[in-house]
Amino acid sequence: AWSRSQVGRKSHRQLEPYLDSFDRKGAAIKFRLRTGTQLWGVRMAMLRDDPSLSICTLCNGAATQSIHHILADCDGLATERKEMFARITKALEYGRGDITPEDFSLLPETIRINYILGLSLGNPELDANVDVICRIFFKIADRKIRAQLTYS
């Protein structure tokens, strides 16, 4: 969460752009996803020592509910994920970043996930737009996942 000041040293007063927003819930979810502490399937299974908690409850498969699964494969979030990628593609078309929409769609899933989680696209304004799009998706995913959780 550290950023660099104008002289190139780490500054404790300057936050990463995705943390410095009015969307606290979206920023918190994104932060937890980046640090691996979001309480979704894999993390819940680890904390409660119950492997059955790692199974995705949103789709009918026996997939492990990881960030990769949520952003790439989960049937329960297919519509929302498709909308997120369509909005990112549109942002890339209008933004002047290092990556074109075609390049973005051809990237391996792991690299695309890194961009979704905050890797810079080469233009701060484009980064901010993509960040907002992704935080909306993360909040929807979090709401759906938490609605499926059963606490015992």
Side-chain angles (χ1 to χ4, degrees):
W2 291 95
S3 188
R4 299 222 175 247
S5 65
Q6 292 83 356
V7 292
R9 292 189 302 247
K10 287 186 176 181
S11 169
H12 70 284
R13 296 179 186 258
Q14 193 175 5
L15 294 173
E16 294 257 355
Y18 82 95
L19 289 174
D20 191 22
S21 74
F22 292 106
D23 179 13
R24 295 285 183 213
K25 183 165 179 65
I29 293 169
K30 188 171 183 180
F31 177 79
R32 287 192 303 264
L33 288 171
R34 287 177 67 163
T35 58
T37 58
Q38 181 65 19
L39 293 176
W40 291 350
V42 172
R43 179 80 173 156
M44 289 292 288
M46 184 190 75
L47 290 174
R48 295 203 177 172
D49 198 24
D50 182 359
S52 68
L53 292 174
S54 68
I55 304 302
C56 183
T57 57
L58 295 178
C59 56
N60 295 328
T64 301
Q65 192 181 61
S66 63
I67 183 64
H68 182 271
H69 172 71
I70 297 297
L71 289 172
D73 305 320
C74 183
D75 293 336
L77 291 165
T79 304
E80 293 85 355
R81 186 174 51 251
K82 185 177 177 182
E83 175 67 22
M84 176 187 67
F85 283 122
R87 292 179 71 195
I88 290 173
T89 300
K90 193 171 191 174
L92 289 171
E93 287 173 1
Y94 294 108
R96 292 182 177 17
D98 295 339
I99 295 178
T100 65
E102 295 79 25
D103 291 342
F104 186 77
S105 66
L106 295 174
L107 288 172
E109 290 293 333
T110 53
I111 303 298
R112 254 197 300 184
I113 289 170
N114 287 339
Y115 281 112
I116 290 168
L117 292 177
L119 185 63
S120 177
L121 293 161
N123 176 339
E125 187 176 323
L126 178 60
D127 291 340
N129 289 340
V130 170
D131 181 56
V132 169
I133 293 165
C134 295
R135 281 187 278 133
I136 290 168
F137 172 79
F138 294 144
K139 288 191 293 187
I140 292 168
D142 188 59
R143 188 170 42 248
K144 282 187 158 190
I145 290 168
R146 288 180 185 274
Q148 295 289 322
L149 289 178
T150 57
Y151 297 99
S152 52

